[in-house]
Amino acid sequence: MSEIRSRIQELLAPIDSEMLEMNAILQAQLEDDSPAVRDMTSHVGRFSGKQLRAALVLLVAEATGRKSHEHVKVAAIVEMIHLATLVHDDVLDGAEVRRRVACVNERWDNQIAILLGDYLYSRAFGLSTTLASRLTSQLLAKTTSRLCSGEIEQSTQRYDFELTQERYEFICAAKTASLYGAACELGARVSDQAASGSFPEDDELALSMACFGEELGLAFQIIDDCLDLVGDTEVVGKSVGTDVEDGKVTLPVLHVYRSASEETRDHIRDIYTKPGIEKRAVRLRESVDLTPGLEYAKERAEELVDRAMARLDVLEDTAARRTLKSIGDFVLGRNW
Ligand code: FPP
Ligand code: MG
């Protein structure tokens, strides 16, 4: 087992049994009468990675003292939606490897990957209708539409070197941080009380946990963008370099571009756009000093994690809160 995997297992030890239960629910949802579908869902079952979003549902529930008998199911639903988005995202990125396993678009093709993503997504929502309240369905419907709109925005901003940091973060918040925020909000909001039509907007603790998740998720995406630029597929476990290949101008590049000479700017644009260049990210990092951009992005991620951690101060000192704190360090230090 890799060092990082055992670190995650150690981190999530306080919710070991709930994670096992969550995975049993997830596995049951991947079952289908069709052998073809079963073959594919068992393939994506091998994508099971850090399962951070599911863990956040359970840890926030525990740390806020609001744990209910439905949280495990909610965690499985969040993880299934995440899986569906990954399968679709790999089509958009033309990625080949995810969590050291061939992407669905690579193992089969794009058509299958779109259909399988839809399948996982619909199973997740089907499961959410079995919960006592509509809260989870409502919040996750809102979250997935925000997530899709973030991806759409990102597609329209490709090759835009004038993108502001604010706009970049807006997109990252929508496409990635939104699901982290929703996971944490659900951890704090789902309760054993019977279904009530709507949920209170002024639940300060739930709103604060949603902000905690969003900040953590934004930091996660910023670090992910650094890894896509300079990481190694072997270490990261998924295709890297796809951002430059697809024209996505991420924070480290934006920072370097902002303060570069006209000549360097031309060079960066050429690497992104000139036909026939192979391994564009490698060419970029070999010909331009990206260090200041990577350092800047890391500092921004640290700032966001600090802000997220401060939100935990209102919670009692429990094992779950300590784990949430360690997840912050993990997000900053991860290399896969
Ligand atoms: C990270 O992208 C962003 C996502 C994984 C979200 C992708 C969402 C969609 C494609 C919409 C799908 C919608 C539904 C309803 C299924 P990234 O490419 O920066 O991250 P990566 O490095 O993990 O590929
Ligand atoms: Mg991707």
Side-chain angles (χ1 to χ4, degrees):
M1 193 190 305
S2 73
E3 195 185 314
I4 202 82
R5 245 177 203 282
S6 53
R7 169 97 186 95
I8 284 275
Q9 272 197 349
E10 195 185 299
L11 262 182
L12 301 184
I15 48 162
D16 237 6
S17 61
E18 286 97 332
M19 286 299 274
L20 276 175
E21 256 185 84
M22 187 285 292
N23 272 302
I25 296 175
L26 193 60
Q27 282 310 316
Q29 289 300 313
L30 300 180
E31 282 299 321
D32 191 275
D33 289 344
S34 152
V37 172
R38 273 207 308 276
D39 192 21
M40 290 163 196
T41 55
S42 88
H43 183 83
V44 295
R46 291 166 62 205
F47 282 1
S48 118
K50 305 175 280 295
Q51 300 188 318
L52 271 187
R53 294 152 189 85
L56 284 171
V57 173
L58 299 167
L59 287 165
V60 170
E62 184 85 48
T64 53
R66 294 181 170 188
K67 200 167 137 190
S68 79
H69 73 287
E70 286 198 318
H71 272 103
V72 170
K73 206 191 255 187
V74 172
I77 294 165
V78 167
E79 204 53 40
M80 281 179 76
I81 291 182
H82 175 55
L83 258 186
T85 70
L86 292 183
V87 173
H88 280 184
D89 185 62
D90 289 335
V91 174
L92 300 185
D93 291 351
E96 293 169 359
V97 186
R98 162 88 57 193
R99 294 172 186 164
R100 298 175 212 287
V101 175
C103 298
V104 177
N105 48 301
E106 179 68 14
R107 165 77 173 74
W108 286 275
D109 55 31
N110 283 352
Q111 218 174 62
I112 292 288
I114 297 298
L115 291 167
L116 190 68
D118 291 344
Y119 176 89
L120 294 168
Y121 184 63
S122 61
R123 291 293 300 251
F125 271 100
L127 189 58
S128 78
T129 63
T130 66
L131 294 164
S133 127
R134 284 205 295 257
L135 186 156
T136 303
S137 309
Q138 284 174 345
L139 188 58
L140 288 176
K142 212 163 84 182
T143 303
T144 41
S145 55
R146 186 169 158 220
L147 203 142
C148 291
S149 106
E151 282 288 324
I152 291 169
E153 281 289 328
Q154 174 173 263
S155 290
T156 63
Q157 310 275 336
R158 288 158 73 223
Y159 302 103
D160 182 358
F161 290 88
E162 304 306 325
L163 189 72
T164 61
Q165 180 172 342
E166 195 187 6
R167 196 77 200 137
Y168 160 83
E169 289 191 3
F170 175 86
I171 291 170
C172 292
K175 74 167 186 169
T176 304
S178 59
L179 195 54
Y180 277 85
C184 295
E185 187 168 349
L186 288 170
R189 270 195 203 275
V190 170
S191 77
D192 273 325
Q193 276 130 41
S196 62
S198 61
F199 45 96
E201 290 295 336
D202 59 352
D203 182 340
E204 293 289 339
L205 185 58
L207 293 175
S208 177
M209 290 302 106
C211 293
F212 162 80
E214 283 253 346
E215 285 151 357
L216 195 70
L218 186 50
F220 180 93
Q221 185 60 49
I222 292 174
I223 298 294
D224 201 66
D225 288 347
C226 293
L227 291 174
D228 191 84
L229 201 56
V230 293
D232 188 318
T233 299
E234 286 297 308
V235 181
V236 182
K238 62 183 176 185
S239 295
V240 294
T242 59
D243 290 341
V244 184
E245 226 50 71
D246 292 346
K248 287 185 211 158
V249 191
T250 56
L251 189 56
V253 180
L254 275 177
H255 182 78
V256 169
Y257 187 88
R258 268 194 310 225
S259 45
S261 65
E262 211 38 67
E263 192 189 350
T264 306
R265 288 181 175 202
D266 287 346
H267 176 70
I268 295 175
R269 283 199 306 272
D270 280 353
I271 290 183
Y272 264 77
T273 56
K274 269 204 172 156
I277 298 183
E278 290 202 2
K279 299 198 169 151
R280 292 177 196 270
V282 176
R283 282 287 297 278
L284 184 66
R285 67 185 193 228
E286 280 175 0
S287 57
V288 178
D289 181 12
L290 297 174
T291 316
L294 292 163
E295 278 170 0
Y296 179 83
K298 181 95 193 280
E299 273 164 30
R300 175 64 182 140
E302 281 165 1
E303 194 176 292
L304 287 158
V305 168
D306 283 349
R307 218 190 280 172
M309 292 306 128
R311 298 197 189 266
L312 302 176
D313 290 347
V314 295
L315 304 177
E316 270 178 46
D317 183 22
T318 57
R321 191 186 84 145
R322 286 193 290 278
T323 303
L324 287 171
K325 290 226 168 206
S326 315
I327 287 181
D329 294 334
F330 169 76
V331 163
L332 294 174
R334 83 199 173 96
N335 57 3
W336 71 300

